[in-house]
Amino acid sequence: MKTITKCTLSLLALSISGVLHASDTATSTWPERNPIVFWGDRANEDWSYVDNLDESQKSFSEKLKRLDITDDGDWKVSFAGNVKVALDNRWNHMYDPDIRKHNELRSRLQLSTDVTYQDWMRVFGEIRTNYTNLDAPGPIDDAGTDFHQLFTEFKLLDDGEQYLSTRLGRQEIYLNEWQMMNREPTPVQSSWNAVSAKYSVSGINFDAYYGEEVFPLFDDGSFSGNWDDKTNGNKSTGLFANWRTDFGAMQAYVMSNKLTNSSFVNAPDGDVDIQVLGLHAHDFVSEGFGYMIDGVYQFGDHAGKDISAYMAYADLNYNWKADWNYRVGMNLHYASGSDADSDKVNTFNPLWTGDPLGFAHDGAYGNAMQVGGYSVIEYAPKQIIITGFMSTWRANTDDAIYTLNQDVLFGEDSDEKYAYTQFYLQFHNYITGNLKTEVNTYYALASDYTDDVVGPNSKDITRFELALIYNF
């Protein structure tokens, strides 16, 4: 463990030195042209503009991109990376006054190499390594070192009117512009052994994929083994159509999924064959009214029982500019639950959806009804304050509340419908185009429900997290 800690600190030091170098070499236009995505798939960033920059104009990150392998420039290579380090303190974790999480350290390092040939063929590889000091950590925080992505991509058609490309291998898959299989409020990517394709024509973009989820191997009491990630039998097939209108971006999709479930309290354990129909729309604006809405219906078979479940989500906001930039909004979320004696499974299964609810929740995605409000103040370029609240009720008092990865979050043994209310305050500070710091504070109110399902002396939760994220 000491060796791992030393490696983590060394890599962090290397990253910080890169930041300092970037500050010396970056031009005034680097922040504007910076394509780095902090919470997305780095494999989708477009660095082709670097070909037209003089060496003296390039930032530290740009100096690592589009390097010629051959004299004719047909073969190029790019290098990239991401470091995230978070220190977390929690009081009365999960409303339990006996649980104090003290100085929990979580870190993740991702390093990638992207080799392209004439911009129509590429091989992309990305290695991920984790370190944490958590007691009994889960697969997200304790996943060891492994290939996170390793795929080949071919651009088969690009004539200005149509575009077609394919990927084959271990890769990330997106749904509604959110990465699939996020498992905690701070996004953590996961990957699939999959084949996928993108096709665009007449302003409509189609995405299709078939894959099996990759998961760290649990061995000898932990997930921390190296080079042992394997597929876990959870399979998914999806077809998406995306297009833009005067009202914003639209998406319609269908998914077919095969997995196992042993956590729903009002459903039998066993194999699940679940089909999904979904609609998504959003319009992100800097001034005026903006929105994001989702609607999902699920049907199929859950260990011999019919499935009929649904989810609806809305983020409605208003934006304006003054000396600072402002946004105020509200979140509405409903995910169905099951009666104890129902002949169908009505509990919404989060499957591999993203994380639209934000920081103001402890992962309530199944059998949950939520209402919240928030504000965002951008008081300087890339300096942001976010604050808000989220109140949660159970959609069905016979059912438990479930997390994003389908586990029971809080139990069903209560007659109370209202569950709890959570408040949050965040400070996001983009020190450079590469380096971001976060301060996240969180407070949640205990209730009669938490007294029933946690213990009669359940207490309010307090959480404080410091995070540093660096990309190059």
Side-chain angles (χ1 to χ4, degrees):
M1 182 174 296
K2 291 181 179 179
T3 301
I4 298 175
T5 305
K6 291 178 181 177
C7 292
T8 301
L9 294 175
S10 299
L11 290 166
L12 181 59
L14 176 62
S15 300
I16 298 298
S17 70
V19 175
L20 298 176
H21 183 65
S23 300
D24 293 337
T25 61
T27 68
S28 60
T29 57
W30 156 241
E32 286 74 30
R33 64 175 182 254
N34 179 8
I36 289 175
V37 179
F38 270 83
W39 298 129
D41 184 0
R42 299 291 307 277
N44 292 329
E45 295 171 355
D46 183 5
W47 293 87
S48 58
Y49 72 89
V50 172
D51 294 346
N52 300 317
L53 295 179
D54 294 333
E55 195 67 19
S56 61
Q57 296 176 297
K58 294 179 182 179
S59 69
F60 172 73
S61 296
E62 290 167 331
K63 291 179 182 291
L64 300 176
K65 307 299 188 294
R66 309 283 293 175
L67 304 174
D68 290 337
I69 298 176
T70 58
D71 293 339
D72 58 11
D74 285 347
W75 288 89
K76 295 180 181 293
V77 63
S78 299
F79 302 99
N82 166 274
V83 179
K84 177 177 179 179
V85 180
L87 187 67
D88 208 348
N89 278 274
R90 312 183 195 206
W91 292 262
N92 306 324
H93 178 57
M94 300 293 284
Y95 302 100
D96 189 334
D98 295 327
I99 301 181
R100 163 74 163 96
K101 301 288 188 177
H102 184 70
N103 290 337
E104 294 181 328
L105 177 66
R106 291 171 291 130
S107 68
R108 167 171 285 210
L109 169 69
Q110 291 170 282
L111 300 172
S112 65
T113 301
D114 190 3
V115 177
T116 61
Y117 175 71
Q118 293 184 345
D119 290 329
W120 67 267
M121 187 275 287
R122 67 189 292 218
V123 178
F124 182 87
E126 184 176 47
I127 292 175
R128 176 218 70 235
T129 186
N130 296 49
Y131 170 74
T132 182
N133 64 356
L134 273 65
D135 294 329
I140 291 305
D141 300 308
D142 188 29
T145 301
D146 217 306
F147 281 104
H148 178 65
Q149 298 193 77
L150 183 59
F151 64 79
T152 57
E153 180 177 328
F154 299 92
K155 185 192 299 182
L156 304 178
L157 178 63
D158 188 8
D159 61 7
E161 296 182 357
Q162 299 181 82
Y163 176 89
L164 175 63
S165 67
T166 63
R167 284 184 183 179
L168 177 63
R170 185 169 295 185
Q171 59 191 276
E172 295 184 10
I173 298 175
Y174 277 70
L175 169 64
N176 295 353
E177 299 192 355
W178 296 89
Q179 204 272 343
M180 290 174 62
M181 195 59 85
N182 290 339
R183 291 178 181 267
E184 62 175 353
T186 47
V188 172
Q189 292 93 339
S190 70
S191 55
W192 299 67
N193 285 352
V195 56
S196 63
K198 296 180 179 293
Y199 176 66
S200 300
V201 63
S202 302
I204 303 177
N205 303 311
F206 297 93
D207 292 84
Y209 73 89
Y210 168 77
E212 188 170 358
E213 183 190 4
V214 175
F215 206 74
L217 181 68
F218 187 76
D219 184 50
D220 197 23
S222 78
F223 294 95
S224 62
N226 300 320
W227 313 112
D228 60 357
D229 288 7
K230 299 182 183 300
T231 53
N232 63 1
N234 293 340
K235 299 178 181 179
S236 183
T237 305
L239 176 64
F240 308 86
N242 305 269
W243 67 97
R244 295 201 64 88
T245 71
D246 293 338
F247 305 102
M250 307 291 164
Q251 183 181 72
Y253 58 94
V254 296
M255 298 172 66
S256 178
N257 310 278
K258 295 183 182 297
L259 59 148
T260 59
N261 181 285
S262 58
S263 57
F264 287 0
V265 299
N266 294 324
D269 299 345
D271 294 333
V272 178
D273 188 351
I274 186 169
Q275 320 306 315
V276 179
L277 302 176
L279 292 172
H280 169 86
H282 71 257
D283 190 17
F284 303 134
V285 299
S286 59
E287 293 188 88
F289 287 99
Y291 71 91
M292 182 170 71
I293 57 175
D294 281 278
V296 177
Y297 179 70
Q298 299 176 339
F299 60 98
D301 178 83
H302 186 124
K305 271 190 163 184
D306 290 339
I307 298 170
S308 180
Y310 56 93
M311 184 277 285
Y313 172 79
D315 176 349
L316 309 174
N317 55 75
Y318 183 74
N319 308 263
W320 71 96
K321 291 180 179 291
D323 293 335
W324 297 346
N325 299 328
Y326 300 88
R327 173 183 297 171
V328 293
M330 65 181 303
N331 302 110
L332 304 169
H333 176 238
Y334 186 92
S336 60
S338 294
D339 291 331
D341 57 355
S342 175
D343 60 352
K344 293 184 177 181
V345 176
N346 303 119
T347 303
F348 179 76
N349 192 323
L351 292 170
W352 299 291
T353 54
D355 189 6
L357 296 180
F359 194 77
H361 69 102
D362 249 343
Y365 284 88
N367 188 42
M369 181 170 61
Q370 294 169 299
V371 177
Y374 68 92
S375 66
V376 179
I377 301 174
E378 185 177 337
Y379 61 92
K382 300 299 185 179
Q383 319 301 314
I384 303 169
I385 300 174
I386 305 170
T387 185
F389 77 94
M390 183 79 76
S391 293
T392 299
W393 293 259
R394 286 190 294 166
N396 191 310
T397 54
D398 286 346
D399 209 347
I401 298 175
Y402 299 93
T403 68
L404 190 57
N405 52 328
Q406 308 167 37
D407 293 329
V408 172
L409 178 64
F410 296 107
E412 76 280 11
D413 293 330
S414 174
D415 294 328
E416 302 292 336
K417 194 171 187 69
Y418 169 73
Y420 43 77
T421 295
Q422 301 154 307
F423 302 89
Y424 63 104
L425 175 65
Q426 298 175 280
F427 299 90
H428 291 192
N429 179 21
Y430 290 83
I431 298 174
T432 71
N434 304 70
L435 181 66
K436 178 185 180 183
T437 61
E438 291 184 2
V439 178
N440 299 315
T441 60
Y442 167 95
Y443 190 83
L445 302 177
S447 68
D448 291 341
Y449 170 70
T450 59
D451 282 347
D452 290 341
V453 299
V454 177
N457 296 316
S458 67
K459 300 295 184 182
D460 297 350
I461 297 173
T462 302
R463 179 179 177 184
F464 183 79
E465 181 192 49
L466 296 173
L468 180 145
I469 306 100
Y470 174 65
N471 293 279
F472 63 86

